[in-house]
Amino acid sequence: MTTARNWLLDDSPASKLQANMGNAYRMLLQLLRNPLAVVGAVILLMLILAALFAPWIAPQNPLGQNLDARLLPPSAAHWMGTDELGRDIFSRVIYGARITLMIMALVAVIAAPLGLLIGAISGYFGGWTDRVLMGVTDVFLSMPKLILALAFVAALGPGIENAIIAIAITSWPAYARIARAETLTFRNSEFISAMRLLGASHGRIITRHVLPLCTSSMIVRVTLDMAGIILTAAGLGFLGLGAQPPLPEWGAMISRGRTFILDQWWVATMPGFAIILVSLGFCFLGDGLRDVLDPKQGGKS
């Protein structure tokens, strides 16, 4: 163990692999020194495990109805109580983790690369390309995300797939702005000029040299944005425009539980707790990653 640690922390790495692994190990150690970041990572790990092992963790079928057990309070038999159809809320919250994780992953896969590419192209070329791309970006940024997502879902139709597309469309402009700002700081650097003199094409420079330099800031922003994505997805589900019944989506569960909020508070409260917990987890982890990947910004916060 000591030998491996010394190899990772060697100040004179013998290979690129050793240098990259050593850098990753140092960032991990720095991240572990942040208690809130560790808490956030644990919450995220719990979400992933719940999604992966839902059939083994959930005590009952999340779609199974039992009208004889409707609206039962939390107990040893039903840890989070039951809803108006007698379905076990704990089982539905566990299975809802799958839907939440899928929405976050697909939105991140669609929105982050799209925004990163648009921002890098805008910052690299400048001129009319920058004006056109940032003009379109500003149009999207000028409207609230949830209102814009509602408009897209209304046009596309209700459903979890259309909700993912709508959230992704409203999320990419922020990433484009960050990537553009990063690109502007080094587009006239000597190493970019050297690549041009060597005959590298614009596409190669952008993909091989510009985009990797913007990645760290993008990772931090995506992690911090996950809380907003969860809340937007839950908002669409609450309004009946996201995941459709009987899927156990947390926002839709809150919407159905609002009818019983005064007498059977657990129906809406339990999925609400799940949303708050996961959102806080991503905020804590995002703050920790910001301190590790961008120490200057972390010191300002």
Side-chain angles (χ1 to χ4, degrees):
M1 186 68 181
T2 304
T3 303
R5 177 184 173 86
N6 292 336
W7 183 80
L8 290 170
L9 298 178
D10 192 344
D11 293 332
S12 301
S15 64
K16 185 177 180 180
L17 174 63
Q18 183 180 359
N20 291 336
M21 292 185 65
N23 188 41
Y25 183 69
R26 290 184 179 89
M27 288 192 295
L28 177 62
L29 292 178
Q30 187 175 349
L31 191 65
L32 291 176
R33 297 190 188 103
N34 187 328
L36 289 180
V38 174
V39 171
V42 170
I43 293 174
L44 178 57
L45 180 61
M46 290 171 57
L47 176 70
I48 295 173
L49 292 177
L52 291 176
F53 300 103
W56 294 274
I57 297 174
Q60 298 185 23
N61 183 347
L63 305 181
Q65 300 180 15
N66 181 9
L67 296 181
D68 293 332
R70 65 188 300 269
L71 298 175
L72 293 179
S75 63
H78 303 282
W79 292 356
M80 294 184 177
T82 61
D83 63 10
E84 75 281 4
L85 297 177
R87 297 173 296 192
D88 184 66
I89 295 177
F90 177 72
S91 299
R92 290 178 62 78
V93 168
I94 293 297
Y95 272 89
R98 287 186 164 185
I99 299 176
T100 300
L101 195 63
M102 179 187 69
I103 293 174
M104 292 188 302
L106 291 178
V107 170
V109 167
I110 296 171
L114 178 62
L116 180 62
L117 183 61
I118 291 175
I121 292 174
S122 177
Y124 178 80
F125 287 106
W128 67 267
T129 303
D130 184 34
R131 289 193 293 272
V132 170
L133 292 179
M134 287 301 103
V136 174
T137 302
D138 289 340
V139 170
F140 280 88
L141 288 174
S142 65
M143 292 176 279
K145 280 187 179 181
L146 183 57
I147 302 300
L148 193 58
L150 285 172
F152 280 114
V153 174
L156 297 173
I160 190 169
E161 297 85 358
N162 292 337
I164 292 171
I165 294 173
I167 297 172
I169 291 175
T170 61
S171 299
W172 69 265
Y175 307 139
R177 274 292 182 183
I178 292 175
R180 175 183 179 271
E182 291 278 349
T183 305
L184 288 175
T185 61
F186 55 76
R187 71 173 181 178
N188 295 322
S189 300
E190 293 181 357
F191 75 94
I192 296 292
S193 301
M195 293 302 301
R196 291 174 183 152
L197 290 175
L198 290 173
S201 63
H202 294 308
R204 180 180 176 84
I205 294 174
I206 291 174
T207 56
R208 298 293 297 274
H209 301 280
V210 175
L211 294 182
L213 291 173
C214 302
T215 302
S216 60
S217 298
M218 198 61 56
I219 292 173
V220 174
R221 182 57 190 254
V222 169
T223 306
L224 290 171
D225 277 358
M226 282 301 158
I229 291 172
I230 293 171
L231 294 175
T232 303
L236 294 177
F238 182 86
L239 296 173
L241 298 175
Q244 299 298 297
L247 290 177
E249 196 273 326
W250 294 342
M253 291 172 64
I254 295 176
S255 178
R256 295 181 67 87
R258 62 180 172 173
T259 308
F260 316 99
I261 192 65
L262 294 179
D263 298 319
Q264 290 82 26
W265 54 267
W266 56 87
V267 180
T269 301
M270 296 306 180
F273 277 148
I275 293 174
I276 293 173
L277 181 64
V278 175
S279 299
L280 284 176
F282 276 105
C283 289
F284 291 157
L285 181 60
D287 283 337
L289 288 175
R290 181 181 57 190
D291 294 342
V292 172
L293 297 176
D294 194 354
K296 292 184 293 183
Q297 293 226 2
K300 295 177 183 179
S301 59

